[in-house]
């Protein structure tokens, strides 16, 4: 059950020019969570920034809560540069759905940018409970500096890297790299998990996803309530009777990518 | 310490305290289970419903501004049938007091909506949303015209005998007090003020407005002075209770609304980031009691 907690930052680490690892002491009573769930932080006790900021859970151990924070604006900047010992109000765990486990099947994880966080959490969770077969990560960022390779080295049997500028690994985005791997017979068949910009997930669903049993994705949107009340973060989902709007925060964050009405979704 | 009773009468209804969650941010109430102690709250003003369900606006719906939030939700709601058969019983079962917010769309839909409301167990107070800026028809059009507004209020009072009727007003008018007076004369039991203030923003990088519908509704601390002024003027114009809403983000803000003449208050946007604010306000009121109204303070009258 979601609740409000006070989290204390015990460690931060700059991973790249814009990305930071922020580790909170696991708040007392913070429940177990599933990959794809998130927390919403009240960054300051003032009214700037006003709304809570949502962040995926990258790891939850008995004592620690890990977040991966990319600085894109004021809220993420304050969070990433908070001193050790700083306390923050955490609402969570939020999100009504989580990634279903691959049930010992092989899995390919595709991450764009900070979409890496829930991918890492999924791989770690399923490795811990031995429900994961061979796990490969396909991971793209703008340039080598922004690739957080050290974060994900241990969690996947294979890591395939892509950079837009070609400074490291495959030149292009994660989707193009995935397509290449499928074509070469190096990926496919098992489960496909993804998290990243909507454009990335949409492009995957158009082509590469056909080579997999199922494609599950964790979506993002600007959020206000984070609990499914305000209807601010909706996404059109196809059903028997047509398209219905579901909330990413309450009905998601995880959806079967084939059920999203991609034509109608404008972020 | 002796805790004061905060029971508040509006029309025929006695609320356990004068602190409510505002329509929209509150959703259908139960979404906040775990974050808000909903039974403690004076009432939950549910998301405005229309007779038929509505899908709301396409594209981006939320955008933070300096001290505020622009929203373009567009009255997405489940419609009367699901609302009265599923959402209301769930709230009532959980011991939560619903205040039912109804859309004033076109006359035909409005009449059907009131008929659907009649006879629903557990509903004895409604709030007419005469003021939504995010839809094409109804809403604002009704809420900016005193004759139309009076017609809608009167019809609610006629169709729903014994029902306490609040009229929720928009600040996007020249004289909000005149509209409040029209609602009072038509039989409203109370006035809720204010709905969101119309605003817009531009996505510089994309070179286009942030929202598809361009204009959206501004809420949050940025609009509090506008809301406070509206409550102050309305409470000096009408004799029925005024429910103040707009930008309340602290116990102190709430106290100001009571001083300006509000009989009750609603918290909207602040619940997003401080879900326990309503409970903090209730606690403060229990400890210190309701602040007295300002009275006819000349210093205030002379402003402007
Ligand atoms: C479920 C969920 C999980 C997320 N997980 C992570 C994560 O693990 N790591 C991480 O770094 N970020 C994550 N995000 C995105 C993160 O919430 C935003 O980057 C952050 O809220 C921006 O706040 P800001 O004040 O720094 O930026 P602002 O000043 O508010 O905005 C700066 C820019 O970021 C964009 N932005 C604002 N909010 C969001 C948003 N919710 N999603 C995408 N773009 C946004 C704005 O449109 C603007 O262009 C997640 C978002 C969601 C909804
Ligand atoms: C996301 C959002 C949705 C809203 N939806 C409704 C609505 O359905 N009906 C209504 O009467 N007011 C709606 N409002 C307006 C609020 O009830 C309130 O009048 C306004 O936000 C000002 O209060 P605040 O600053 O405390 O949020 C909405 C506000 C927000 C932010
Ligand atoms: S953020 Fe309010 S419904 Fe998702």
């Amino acid at each position: 059950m979601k609740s409000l907690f006070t989290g204390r930052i015990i460690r931060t680490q700059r991973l790249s020019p814009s990305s930071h690892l922020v580790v909170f002491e696991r708040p007392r009573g913070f429940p177990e969570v599933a990959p794809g769930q998130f927390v919403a932080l009240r960054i300051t006790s003032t009214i700037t920034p006003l709304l809570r900021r949502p962040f995926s859970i990258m790891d939850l151990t008995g004592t620690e809560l890990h977040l991966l924070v990319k600085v894109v604006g004021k809220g993420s900047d304050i969070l990433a540069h908070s001193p050790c010992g700083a306390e923050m109000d955490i609402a969570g765990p939020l999100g009504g759905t989580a990634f279903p486990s691959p049930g010992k099947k092989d899995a390919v994880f595709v991450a764009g940018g900070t979409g890496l966080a829930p991918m890492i959490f999924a791989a770690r969770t399923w490795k811990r409970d031995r429900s994961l077969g061979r796990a490969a990560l396909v991971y793209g960022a703008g340039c080598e500096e922004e690739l957080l390779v050290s974060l994900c080295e241990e969690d996947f049997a294979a890591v395939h890297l892509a950079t837009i500028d070609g400074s490291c690994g495959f030149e292009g985005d994660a989707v193009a790299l995935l397509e290449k791997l499928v074509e070469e017979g190096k990926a496919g068949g098992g489960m496909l998990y993804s998290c990243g910009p909507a454009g990335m997930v949409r492009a995957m669903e158009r082509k590469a996803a056909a080579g997999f049993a199922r494609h599950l994705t964790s979506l993002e949107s600007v959020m206000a309530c984070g609990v499914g009340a305000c209807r601010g973060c909706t996404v059109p989902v196809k059903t028997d009777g047509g398209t219905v709007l579901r909330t990413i925060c309450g009905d998601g964050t995880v959806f079967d990518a084939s059920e999203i009405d991609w034509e109608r979704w404008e972020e | 310490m002796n805790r004061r009773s905060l029971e508040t009468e509006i029309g025929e209804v006695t609320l356990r305290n004068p602190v409510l969650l505002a329509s929209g941010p509150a959703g259908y109430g139960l979404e906040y289970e775990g974050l808000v102690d909903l039974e403690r709250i004076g009432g939950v003003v549910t998301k405005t419903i229309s007779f038929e369900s509505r899908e709301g606006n396409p594209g981006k719906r939320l955008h933070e501004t300096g001290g505020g939030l622009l929203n373009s939700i567009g009255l997405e709601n489940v419609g009367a049938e699901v609302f009265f058969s599923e959402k209301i019983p769930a709230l009532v079962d959980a011991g939560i007091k619903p205040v039912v917010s109804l859309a004033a769309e076109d006359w035909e839909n409005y009449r059907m909506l009131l008929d659907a409301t009649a006879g629903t167990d557990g509903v004895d107070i409604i709030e007419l949303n005469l003021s939504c800026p995010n839809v094409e028809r109804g809403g604002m059009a009704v809420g900016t015209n005193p004759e139309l507004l009076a017609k809608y209020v009167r019809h609610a009072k006629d169709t729903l005998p014994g029902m306490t009727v609040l009229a929720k007003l928009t600040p996007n008018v020249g004289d909000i007090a005149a509209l409040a007076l029209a609602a009072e004369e038509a039989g409203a039991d109370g006035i809720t003020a204010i709905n969101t203030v119309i605003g817009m923003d531009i996505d510089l990088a994309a070179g286009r407005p942030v929202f598809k519908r361009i204009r959206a509704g501004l809420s949050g601390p940025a609009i509090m002075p506008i809301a406070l002024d509206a409550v102050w003027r309305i409470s000096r114009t009408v004799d029925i209770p005024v429910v103040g809403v707009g930008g309340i983000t602290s116990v102190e803000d709430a106290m100001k609304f009571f001083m300006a003449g509000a009989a009750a208050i609603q918290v909207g946007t602040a619940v997003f980031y401080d879900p326990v604010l309503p409970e903090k306000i209730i606690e403060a009121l229990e400890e210190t009691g309701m602040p007295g109204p300002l009275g006819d303070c000349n210093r205030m009258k002379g402003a402007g």
Side-chain angles (χ1 to χ4, degrees):
Chain A
M1 169 76 128
K2 62 184 178 292
S3 191
L4 291 173
F5 299 92
T6 302
R8 198 165 59 85
I9 295 177
I10 48 177
R11 197 163 79 242
T12 60
Q13 186 189 343
R14 182 177 174 277
L15 302 169
S16 81
S18 69
S19 294
H20 301 249
L21 171 70
V22 178
V23 179
F24 286 88
E25 183 176 46
R26 180 176 181 162
R28 190 186 298 268
F30 195 87
E32 289 305 316
V33 301
Q37 288 195 291
F38 65 102
V39 289
L41 303 185
R42 188 172 179 198
I43 303 288
T44 69
S45 54
T46 70
I47 54 169
T48 20
L50 187 67
L51 298 173
R52 284 173 184 268
R53 296 297 193 253
F55 291 91
S56 298
I57 295 165
M58 186 163 72
D59 205 356
L60 181 70
T61 69
T63 52
E64 295 181 346
L65 168 67
H66 292 216
L67 305 180
L68 173 62
V69 179
K70 184 177 164 94
V71 176
V72 298
K74 189 156 190 156
S76 48
D77 191 30
I78 297 172
L79 174 59
H81 297 105
S82 292
C84 289
E87 290 192 340
M88 229 169 254
D89 174 342
I90 301 178
L94 304 178
T97 56
F99 285 113
S101 117
K104 300 200 190 300
K105 280 205 274 292
D106 290 351
V108 173
F109 298 80
V110 181
T114 56
L116 184 61
M119 299 290 91
I120 287 182
F121 188 39
R124 284 185 189 167
T125 305
W126 298 331
K127 263 172 78 175
R128 279 174 205 146
D129 64 20
R130 299 203 164 76
S131 59
L132 182 61
R134 236 182 94 82
L137 174 71
V138 180
Y139 169 41
C143 59
E144 182 171 19
E145 266 192 321
E146 285 299 336
L147 276 177
L148 311 175
V149 181
S150 63
L151 262 189
C152 49
E153 273 167 343
E154 288 175 12
D155 300 308
F156 304 88
V159 176
H160 306 277
L161 301 173
T163 49
I164 302 291
D165 67 359
S167 51
C168 177
F170 176 81
E171 181 173 345
D173 61 12
V175 181
L177 175 53
L178 176 68
E179 282 170 9
K180 181 169 165 280
L181 292 169
V182 172
E183 266 164 35
E184 292 170 354
K186 291 182 185 150
M191 299 288 274
L192 180 60
Y193 299 99
S194 69
C195 185
M200 176 192 103
V201 184
R202 182 188 283 127
M204 285 172 61
E205 190 49 30
R206 288 218 173 107
K207 203 161 161 208
F212 293 85
R214 266 183 98 186
H215 175 196
L216 294 137
T217 188
S218 170
L219 299 176
E220 288 188 8
S221 155
V222 174
M223 292 182 175
C225 70
V227 297
C230 77
R231 312 297 301 180
C233 68
T234 53
V235 56
V237 174
K238 291 182 264 180
T239 62
D240 292 343
T243 302
V244 296
L245 294 179
R246 302 244 188 263
T247 61
I248 292 175
C249 67
D251 302 319
T253 62
V254 176
F255 294 89
D256 191 317
S258 67
E259 287 170 6
I260 304 290
D261 189 342
W262 293 104
E263 303 304 319
R264 280 198 47 204
W265 192 27
E266 317 155 57
E267 280 169 291
Chain B
M1 176 190 301
N2 247 346
R3 304 220 148 223
R4 291 170 174 81
S5 163
L6 297 176
E7 283 190 353
T8 302
E9 279 178 32
I10 299 180
E12 310 279 317
V13 172
T14 304
L15 301 173
R16 74 194 96 177
N17 63 60
V19 181
L20 315 176
L21 298 192
S23 178
Y28 300 113
L30 293 175
E31 295 91 337
Y32 286 97
E33 261 184 335
L35 301 184
V36 180
D37 185 357
L38 293 158
E39 283 174 70
R40 200 101 159 92
I41 309 295
V44 170
V45 190
T46 47
K47 175 72 191 171
T48 299
I49 54 153
S50 42
F51 180 68
E52 305 275 4
S53 64
R54 287 182 62 120
E55 210 181 47
N57 293 334
K60 188 176 160 98
R61 290 180 165 190
L62 299 166
H63 177 68
E64 189 170 317
T65 60
L69 172 68
L70 280 168
N71 89 79
S72 180
I73 309 285
L75 284 195
E76 179 185 348
N77 77 89
V78 296
E81 200 182 318
V82 173
F83 179 78
F84 287 119
S85 65
E86 294 175 19
K87 304 292 182 186
I88 285 293
L91 273 182
V92 173
D93 282 352
I96 298 159
K97 175 76 193 169
V99 176
V100 171
S101 172
L102 303 177
E105 291 186 293
D106 58 72
W107 184 244
E108 205 38 50
N109 274 294
Y110 179 65
R111 284 177 48 171
M112 291 193 290
L113 182 56
L114 289 184
D115 290 342
T117 309
T120 305
D121 281 343
V123 178
D124 54 10
I125 174 166
I126 59 173
E127 185 178 86
L128 301 179
N129 180 359
L130 300 156
S131 48
C132 182
N134 285 329
V135 288
E136 291 292 350
R137 53 181 188 151
M140 282 277 279
V142 176
T144 55
N145 176 326
E147 284 86 45
L148 260 183
L149 180 144
K151 179 181 161 188
Y152 274 68
V153 171
R154 202 170 294 119
H155 187 65
K157 287 301 291 182
D158 290 347
T159 316
L160 306 169
M163 181 72 76
T164 293
V165 177
L166 300 172
K168 182 167 179 183
L169 302 181
T170 170
N172 304 303
V173 290
D175 185 3
I176 196 171
L179 287 158
L181 194 59
E184 179 182 43
E185 285 169 359
D189 300 286
I191 304 291
T192 303
I194 56 176
N195 209 313
T196 51
V197 177
I198 287 184
M200 72 173 282
D201 203 354
I202 292 172
D203 182 336
L204 264 187
R208 56 173 157 74
V210 166
F211 295 107
K212 267 224 141 136
R213 286 176 48 85
I214 303 175
R215 306 175 83 201
L218 182 66
S219 64
I223 70 166
M224 190 182 114
I226 299 170
L228 199 60
D229 176 62
V231 166
W232 185 64
R233 286 196 299 139
I234 293 168
S235 66
R236 268 152 191 75
T237 308
V238 300
D239 293 321
I240 50 178
V242 180
V243 180
V245 52
I248 295 173
T249 68
S250 66
V251 170
E252 292 74 21
D253 289 348
M255 296 300 171
K256 291 178 189 175
F257 274 84
F258 291 118
M259 290 178 74
I265 55 127
Q266 298 176 2
V267 183
T269 301
V271 176
F272 294 147
Y273 66 86
D274 189 7
V276 291
L277 176 62
E279 290 157 62
K280 285 188 236 168
I281 297 171
I282 293 164
E283 249 157 56
L285 291 173
E286 281 174 344
E287 273 173 27
T288 62
M290 305 272 285
L294 280 170
D296 266 335
C297 168
N298 283 331
R299 239 179 324 145
M300 289 189 69
K301 267 189 165 170

